């Protein structure tokens, strides 16, 4: 069934491509790291006609988290022996300029892998003599869970829980990319899970004011190829609009989740790896929850730090450079010995390219 559906989609893409490729090329950015991994794992590039190019974008939360954030977490873990850092597993190996959290843990500090913000609250409850700091990294998909954890800590008066927030919002990064004259993007494949929360209307300015096709798709090959076909159809018809091939996405999004986010967080300017500061692209706690903000509780100033020497993750995240064209790729930077977050993260473009091959879609390692 899936094979027949895939065959039909590939046929449709090949049929519509000549008109869509009016100037010989269509560049489609898959915004999300989950798309990047699925495209690479299923060798979807190899199914596309010449001229239809997929480029990876900034939708890997670990990858876009800046070095300064890692440094703040490392500094805190080293300075306070009563602190337990709770973090998603991928963050442990991301290098900062002061080392990575894995090294800090090897040096004796408490760094615990958790699978949710709620689990970090559990940890704080079990260990009232410790300060548990959750590294709140992620987009609109994970931010509601962090908001619920804050609400729970507040209701249950768990005073030894706080978050170091690096939550980010996807549409401001897409807007920045749409205004970037150094990278050509004709259409965006928008992430299904984020779009369920924010609603497809969130992409309207990108389609209407910047002329980029925006199509929401899920993560299996049929969904991804359906999204690509929809973008190509728009290009062939000379239109750019927001569409969804992901059945559960509404125009307005998940009202409950959005109101939870609004009541818990406010938007703030945020620093993205590769982009610098993007206005209104991050989330920080509302004033009434400030006591759960680790940067306030522990007086952690913003840190400015450079990416690792030679690492081109910033260019990879902006779609300016295929991973293989980073000079460190493979020989010096690989999953065993990663230099940048795009090789560390299970959703990173460099990790996907290393594991499955990128340009040809073949040669898995
Ligand atoms: S290959 Fe490694 S060093 Fe190069 S951009 Fe990717 S993560 Fe950074």
């Amino acid at each position: 069934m899936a094979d027949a559906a895939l065959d039909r989609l590939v046929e449709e893409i090949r049929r519509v491509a000549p008109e869509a490729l009016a100037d010989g090329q269509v560049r489609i950015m898959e915004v999300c790291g989950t798309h990047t991994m699925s495209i690479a794992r299923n060798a979807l590039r190899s199914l596309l006609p010449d001229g239809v190019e997929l480029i990876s974008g900034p939708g890997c939360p670990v990858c876009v988290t800046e070095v300064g954030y890692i440094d703040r977490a490392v500094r805190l873990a080293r300075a306070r022996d009563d602190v337990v850092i709770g973090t998603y597993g991928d963050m442990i190996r991301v290098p900062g300029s002061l080392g990575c959290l894995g090294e800090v843990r090897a040096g004796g500090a408490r760094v615990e892998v958790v699978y949710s913000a709620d689990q970090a609250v559990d940890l704080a409850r079990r260990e009232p003599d410790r300060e548990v700091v959750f590294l709140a990294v992620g987009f609109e998909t994970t931010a509601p869970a962090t908001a619920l954890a804050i609400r729970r800590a507040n209701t249950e008066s768990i005073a030894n829980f706080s978050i170091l927030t690096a939550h980010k919002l996807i549409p401001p990064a897409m807007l920045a990319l749409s205004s970037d004259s150094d990278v050509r993007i004709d259409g965006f494949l928008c992430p299904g899970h984020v779009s369920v929360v924010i609603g497809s209307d969130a992409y309207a300015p990108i389609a209407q004011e910047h002329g980029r096709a925006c199509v929401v798709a899920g993560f299996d090959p049929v969904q991804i190829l359906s999204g690509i076909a929809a973008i190509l159809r728009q290009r062939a018809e000379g239109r750019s609009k927001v569409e969804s091939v992901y059945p559960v996405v509404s125009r307005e999004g998940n009202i409950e989740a959005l109101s939870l986010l609004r009541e818990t967080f406010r938007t703030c300017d945020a620093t993205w790896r590769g982009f610098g500061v993007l206005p209104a692209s991050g989330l920080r706690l509302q004033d009434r929850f400030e006591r759960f903000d680790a940067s306030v509780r522990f007086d952690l100033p913003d840190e400015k730090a450079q990416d690792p020497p030679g690492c081109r993750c910033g260019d990879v995240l902006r779609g300016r450079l295929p991973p293989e064209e980073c000079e460190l790729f493979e020989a010096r930077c690989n999953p065993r010995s990663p230099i940048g977050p795009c090789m560390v993260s299970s959703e990173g473009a460099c990790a996907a390219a290393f594991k499955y091959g990128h340009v040809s879609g073949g040669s898995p390692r």
Side-chain angles (χ1 to χ4, degrees):
M1 173 67 178
D3 283 353
L6 282 177
D7 288 346
R8 274 199 302 276
L9 283 163
V10 170
E11 207 174 292
E12 169 160 13
I13 286 170
R14 289 179 186 278
R15 185 180 56 74
V16 75
E19 272 185 82
L21 294 166
D23 61 353
Q25 194 185 31
V26 172
R27 298 188 90 221
I28 298 171
M29 174 174 276
E30 87 271 3
V31 176
C32 175
T34 315
H35 276 147
T36 297
M37 270 294 160
S38 182
I39 287 165
R41 187 170 50 246
N42 294 291
L44 298 186
R45 284 184 177 82
S46 66
L47 303 177
L48 301 178
D50 288 348
V52 178
E53 194 184 337
L54 297 182
I55 49 176
S56 302
C60 157
V62 171
C63 305
V64 294
T65 299
E66 79 280 14
V67 178
Y69 177 87
I70 309 288
D71 286 354
R72 287 206 292 170
V74 165
R75 217 183 273 284
L76 175 64
R78 283 189 177 141
R80 297 272 305 241
D81 57 12
D82 62 334
V83 161
V84 181
I85 301 283
T87 178
Y88 299 125
D90 276 358
M91 289 293 290
I92 295 239
R93 295 181 73 209
V94 178
S97 67
L98 307 170
C100 70
L101 285 164
E103 290 162 352
V104 172
R105 182 167 65 178
R110 283 272 309 274
V111 179
E112 302 277 344
V113 172
V114 294
Y115 297 97
S116 66
D118 199 50
Q119 208 183 341
V121 178
D122 289 341
L123 189 57
R125 206 183 162 84
R126 279 200 311 274
E127 302 197 36
D129 296 334
R130 298 278 190 159
E131 285 282 346
V132 174
V133 178
F134 174 63
L135 302 188
V137 170
F139 299 117
E140 293 92 334
T141 37
T142 47
T146 305
L148 284 173
I150 291 291
R151 296 309 182 103
R152 179 185 160 204
N154 187 47
T155 306
E156 298 180 17
S157 301
I158 300 174
N160 61 324
F161 174 76
S162 60
I163 65 169
L164 191 57
T165 178
H167 280 309
K168 292 182 172 60
L169 306 172
I170 285 287
M174 292 170 64
L175 277 170
L177 287 163
S178 300
S179 309
D180 183 348
S181 55
D182 288 337
V183 59
R184 172 177 166 174
I185 300 168
D186 299 302
F188 288 105
L189 198 63
C190 306
H193 49 14
V194 166
S195 307
V196 167
V197 176
I198 64 176
S200 58
D201 278 356
Y203 307 113
I206 298 157
Q208 289 162 11
E209 291 159 31
H210 293 270
R212 307 304 200 276
C214 291
V215 177
V216 178
F219 303 102
D220 64 43
V222 168
Q223 276 283 304
I224 291 170
L225 291 181
S226 299
I228 292 168
I231 291 172
L232 293 177
R233 276 197 300 272
Q234 287 193 35
R235 294 285 301 170
E237 293 162 6
R239 292 187 299 157
S240 48
K241 60 177 186 173
V242 180
E243 274 182 75
S244 176
V245 297
Y246 197 51
V248 287
V249 172
S250 64
R251 289 181 57 183
E252 67 279 10
N254 183 325
I255 305 294
E256 232 171 90
L258 289 172
S259 95
L260 177 66
L261 287 179
R262 266 194 306 274
E263 285 163 17
T264 312
F265 295 106
R266 58 192 160 93
T267 55
C268 62
D269 298 349
T271 305
W272 295 56
R273 192 185 297 257
F275 291 76
V277 176
L278 295 181
S281 68
L283 295 175
R284 64 173 304 161
L285 287 167
Q286 292 281 8
D287 288 347
R288 64 181 178 283
F289 295 120
E290 200 178 50
R291 65 189 177 285
F292 296 109
D293 184 337
S295 64
V296 174
R297 184 178 297 194
F298 301 103
D299 192 20
L300 301 172
D302 283 345
E303 304 238 4
K304 301 257 176 294
Q306 300 294 319
D307 286 346
C311 174
R312 303 282 304 276
C313 280
D315 290 327
V316 171
L317 291 163
R318 295 195 73 132
R320 292 171 170 173
L321 186 86
E324 297 89 338
E325 290 184 22
C326 170
E327 286 184 6
L328 308 184
F329 182 81
E330 194 165 22
R332 290 187 50 205
C333 179
N334 51 64
R336 281 193 179 185
S337 173
I339 289 176
C342 297
M343 189 63 87
V344 173
S345 172
S346 56
E347 296 197 334
C350 299
F354 184 90
K355 192 166 180 192
Y356 300 110
H358 185 269
V359 175
S360 68
S363 64
R365 293 172 168 84

